[in-house]
Amino acid sequence: MRAHLAVVLSSFTFSLASAFVVPAMSTKYACAIRDPGAASAESIRGFELNMVDPAELSSAVASTSSMMLAETEPWVQPLASVLGPFLNIFSFAMLCRVVISWYPTTNVNELPFNIVVWPTEPLLRAIRGLVPPAFGVDITPIVWLAVFSFFNEILLGQQGLLTMKIKYGI
């Protein structure tokens, strides 16, 4: 059985990058190519297909040194785990500030509103002089929402810099 896997693994090695993640198999068994010299009724152009247990195949693929995930610096994972919630919370807070701005008579010093206003006001105050109101509406929460969403996608999205660094060691 190991000889059969060696043929399959050797066929994968020409297309491997420095990091490879084995995808989860949805079927119960995977097909592997057997010795091309074996002639039988099931052979197709000299190749016989045998059923292989996916757990055995994935353990064999994971055991090869060329298919292991790359190691990253120790600062990447903690930064990603702190930066993700920070950017999401502040994006949500800025979205709440946009909704609060629709109701100008709202007293922002009352309890449910001051939870959102207190942490976001210093950020908004910093750029209010740079971003003029559009049609009489303060758009600085929208600017900050765009900035937080941009950094979240660039750093932590599916193809974000920190995500790629964690997965592939780039």
Side-chain angles (χ1 to χ4, degrees):
M1 188 63 96
R2 297 276 183 217
H4 306 299
L5 290 175
V7 174
V8 173
L9 292 176
S10 65
S11 67
F12 282 130
T13 56
F14 67 88
S15 65
L16 287 177
S18 63
F20 180 77
V21 178
V22 180
M25 294 185 196
S26 61
T27 60
K28 185 175 180 185
Y29 294 102
C31 292
I33 299 174
R34 195 174 172 191
D35 182 22
S40 68
E42 298 172 344
S43 66
I44 302 171
R45 294 187 193 157
F47 292 100
E48 184 176 324
L49 298 177
N50 288 339
M51 302 309 274
V52 179
D53 186 23
E56 186 177 330
L57 181 64
S58 64
S59 67
V61 169
S63 67
T64 61
S65 63
S66 65
M67 295 185 189
M68 296 184 79
L69 290 175
E71 292 187 26
T72 60
E73 286 84 12
W75 58 268
V76 177
Q77 184 63 41
L79 178 65
S81 61
V82 168
L83 201 57
F86 173 79
L87 291 173
N88 287 329
I89 289 170
F90 268 90
S91 294
F92 181 72
M94 289 300 169
L95 186 62
C96 291
R97 284 299 298 255
V98 168
V99 173
I100 289 172
S101 71
W102 295 343
Y103 302 100
T105 59
T106 304
N107 185 6
V108 292
N109 294 325
E110 291 180 2
L111 182 59
F113 304 113
N114 65 358
I115 294 172
V116 173
V117 171
W118 177 77
T120 58
E121 188 60 33
L123 295 172
L124 296 174
R125 195 177 312 129
I127 66 166
R128 273 202 181 114
L130 299 173
V131 180
F135 304 106
V137 177
D138 183 22
I139 60 169
T140 53
I142 298 170
V143 171
W144 277 110
L145 179 62
V147 167
F148 289 138
S149 297
F150 175 77
F151 279 118
N152 192 19
E153 190 62 33
I154 291 297
L155 296 174
L156 302 168
Q158 282 185 337
Q159 295 178 345
L161 296 174
L162 293 177
T163 304
M164 298 297 270
K165 185 97 173 140
I166 291 169
K167 285 184 179 178
Y168 305 113
I170 295 175

